[in-house]
């Protein structure tokens, strides 16, 4: 199929916004040409969409989510409004472990049914690629169940899914006080099984006082290297455990949250070309006060991505444009940085080069917005909406 988008303001994201007024030509699932060349190259029989001067961007990439889970944590949200802290709730068996109980009790079918409405909300907000983590099973069988459900989603919806193993998300009750045993007996065996079944694209872990230390994660990241899988890390979200330095040493694709990262972590990430994934939803929901060092990342040349971190506990956020608004308003990212953060830098945080920009050869995943300038996507609160989505060169 040949599809020609005409009369558009195209944010190619190849260098900053890389704005071009004109056309985008798609042949099958790839971009064939952009700008003047597109207008002349269409030929007979191309389907044409007149964008009416609207903004066209690459399809948005949500490079960090926990969108597959069961149950709800709305009650916990109220407890926090009444003064309970996230750590207190976690230490008293709530938090992540309450979602673990719900996921263990759910079948794969129930997990999918409960997760699809969230996926639909992410897609409706402009996402064409979504990263989804496991991390609420914490047994070999339940982690594989989550990974299978995440993989299955891409067959049920017009969306691409990158699947990340996050068994090292929390220590389950049956391993209380035995993090090393949990990593050796559950996290690593589930990773090997997932790799053998083609259910994993990357490995992640939660490096924090209420979860795992860098020393406890060495074996897991060493195993990932043996299996040829890239690593990512939830680092310095609530304190500085030098997780970013550890992750950069392992050549991590990204360090995520990074509110408490110090200059040594920033420099280690710059040297390893590790992307900083900014997650304003968790900062907002937890009413945190420590902002990530956005200016230090800029000065060090660390690329910044922005994601929803959609999860039941700290970030029940499904809209990337809303995350962009928060990243600008809360952390002083610029609208241009925020859009790069949900396109080209988000793709880099997943180790993907075939999306996130509008250029010949890239996947023809595009969004035509009800907007006529890129800053609108960050400036608007809750009404930066797609006019149409192009997925693999098809109107979705
Ligand atoms: N950090 C977070 O904010 C989420 N996971 C993590 O490692 C919280 C997940 C949850 O509370 O369910
Ligand atoms: Fe997360």
């Amino acid at each position: 199929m040949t599809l020609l988008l005409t009369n558009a303001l195209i944010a190619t994201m190849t260098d900053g916004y890389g704005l071009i007024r004109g056309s985008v030509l798609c042949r099958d699932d790839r971009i064939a040409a952009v700008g003047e060349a597109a207008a002349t190259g269409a030929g007979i029989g191309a389907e044409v969409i007149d964008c009416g001067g609207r903004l066209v961007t690459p399809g948005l990439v949500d490079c960090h989510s926990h969108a597959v889970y069961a149950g709800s944590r709305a009650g916990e949200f109220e407890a926090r409004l009444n003064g309970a802290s996230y750590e207190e709730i976690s230490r008293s068996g709530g938090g992540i472990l309450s979602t673990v109980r719900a996921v263990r009790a759910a079948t794969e079918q129930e997990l999918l049914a409960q997760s699809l409405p969230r996926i639909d909300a992410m897609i409706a907000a402009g996402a064409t690629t979504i990263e989804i983590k496991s991390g609420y099973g914490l047994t070999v069988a339940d982690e594989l169940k989550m990974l299978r459900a995440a993989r299955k989603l891409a067959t049920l919806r017009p969306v691409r899914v990158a699947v990340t193993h996050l068994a090292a998300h929390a220590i389950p009750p049956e391993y209380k006080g035995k993090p090393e045993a949990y990593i050796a007996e559950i996290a690593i065996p589930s990773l090997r099984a997932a790799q053998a079944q083609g259910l994993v694209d990357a490995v992640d872990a939660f490096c924090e006082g209420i979860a795992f230390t860098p020393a406890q994660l060495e074996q897991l990241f060493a195993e990932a290297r043996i299996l040829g899988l890239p690593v990512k890390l939830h680092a310095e979200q609530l304190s500085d455990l030098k997780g970013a330095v550890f992750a950069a040493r392992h050549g991590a694709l990204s360090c995520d949250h990074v509110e408490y990262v110090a200059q040594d972590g920033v420099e280690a990430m710059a040297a390893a070309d590790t992307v900083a994934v900014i997650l304003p939803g968790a900062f907002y929901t937890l009413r945190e006060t420590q902002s990530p060092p956005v200016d230090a990342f800029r000065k060090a040349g660390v690329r910044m991505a922005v994601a929803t971190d959609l999860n039941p506990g700290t970030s029940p956020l499904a809209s990337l444009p809303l995350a962009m608004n928060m990243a600008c308003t809360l952390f002083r990212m610029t609208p241009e940085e925020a859009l790069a953060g949900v396109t080209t830098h988000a793709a880099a945080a997943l180790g993907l080069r075939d999306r996130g920009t509008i250029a010949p050869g890239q996947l023809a995943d595009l969004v035509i917005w009800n907007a006529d300038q890129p800053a609108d996507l960050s400036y608007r609160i809750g009404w930066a909406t797609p006019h149409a989505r192009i997925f693999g060169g098809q109107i979705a």
Side-chain angles (χ1 to χ4, degrees):
M1 173 179 167
T2 302
L3 178 66
L4 179 67
L5 274 56
T6 63
N7 190 12
L9 175 63
I10 307 157
T12 64
M13 304 313 293
T14 49
D15 176 15
Y17 283 137
L19 290 176
I20 295 175
R21 268 198 191 286
S23 306
V24 182
L25 178 64
C26 308
R27 285 201 203 291
D28 303 323
D29 70 345
R30 296 285 162 168
I31 294 169
V34 183
E36 274 324 299
T40 51
I44 312 302
E47 176 151 356
V48 178
I49 298 179
D50 179 339
C51 297
R54 290 183 180 85
L55 174 72
V56 172
T57 70
L60 304 188
V61 176
D62 195 339
C63 66
H64 185 129
S65 98
H66 309 250
V68 166
Y69 63 84
S72 164
R73 303 248 296 276
E76 185 189 305
F77 172 63
E78 290 189 75
R80 276 208 309 277
L81 292 174
N82 299 326
S85 77
Y86 182 81
E87 283 95 331
E88 281 161 12
I89 292 170
S90 297
R91 291 190 202 288
S92 65
I96 292 175
L97 295 183
S98 67
T99 301
V100 169
R101 288 189 289 276
V103 166
R104 287 179 175 185
T107 64
E108 186 178 328
Q109 250 353 78
E110 287 162 342
L111 260 186
L112 277 168
Q114 290 192 36
S115 302
L116 276 170
R118 290 184 284 275
I119 302 301
D120 289 337
M122 297 166 97
I123 291 173
T128 53
T129 292
I130 299 173
E131 184 258 14
I132 299 177
K133 304 172 193 292
S134 66
Y136 290 118
L138 311 187
T139 67
V140 173
D142 291 303
E143 285 296 310
L144 292 175
K145 176 174 71 183
M146 289 193 74
L147 295 167
R148 277 195 307 275
R151 262 289 186 252
K152 189 93 185 273
L153 284 167
T155 67
L156 300 173
R157 291 292 188 271
V159 72
R160 306 177 202 283
V161 176
V163 180
T164 301
H165 176 275
L166 178 57
H169 192 198
I171 302 163
E174 59 272 19
Y175 279 90
K176 192 172 175 60
K178 298 182 285 182
E180 290 82 5
Y182 172 73
I183 295 288
E185 296 167 17
I186 301 295
I188 291 176
S190 64
L191 178 58
R192 289 182 183 141
Q195 173 71 332
Q197 297 170 35
L199 292 174
V200 55
D201 303 311
V203 179
D204 192 352
F206 187 19
C207 181
E208 197 45 80
I210 55 174
F212 301 91
T213 65
Q216 289 161 354
L217 295 170
E218 278 291 352
Q219 282 310 308
L220 178 68
F221 277 22
E223 186 68 27
R225 181 187 296 274
I226 291 165
L227 295 171
L229 291 166
V231 298
K232 310 164 73 61
L233 191 69
H234 285 68
E236 273 75 86
Q237 177 181 3
L238 306 170
S239 65
D240 186 359
L241 287 190
K242 303 302 172 197
V245 172
F246 158 74
R249 178 161 52 74
H250 282 270
L253 287 174
S254 73
C255 288
D256 304 48
H257 286 287
V258 286
E259 277 87 352
Y260 287 83
V261 76
Q263 191 56 25
D264 57 356
V266 171
E267 286 163 11
M269 290 170 69
D273 204 15
T274 296
V275 175
V277 179
I278 307 294
L279 302 171
F283 176 96
Y284 169 83
T285 304
L286 293 179
R287 295 182 292 168
E288 280 291 345
T289 53
Q290 172 71 40
S291 295
V294 165
D295 208 37
F297 287 137
R298 265 187 210 118
K299 288 198 177 84
V302 172
R303 291 174 293 180
M304 294 182 278
V306 174
T308 63
D309 192 17
L310 176 49
N311 77 75
T314 63
S315 190
L317 169 68
S319 163
L320 277 175
L322 199 47
M324 292 166 69
N325 170 271
M326 289 174 165
C328 293
T329 304
L330 297 171
F331 302 145
R332 293 288 179 269
M333 285 180 72
T334 65
E336 185 172 303
E337 287 170 335
L339 185 53
V342 297
T343 54
T344 183
H345 295 166
L350 298 177
L352 299 169
R353 297 170 180 285
D354 60 357
R355 63 201 79 183
T357 58
I358 300 179
Q362 295 291 76
L363 285 168
D365 295 351
L366 306 161
V367 179
I368 306 171
W369 295 90
N370 291 317
D372 50 23
Q373 57 174 323
D376 277 343
L377 302 187
S378 298
Y379 155 69
R380 297 176 179 177
I381 304 178
W383 56 291
T385 54
H387 172 72
R389 278 175 83 242
I390 311 299
F391 184 70
Q394 312 261 337
I395 302 161

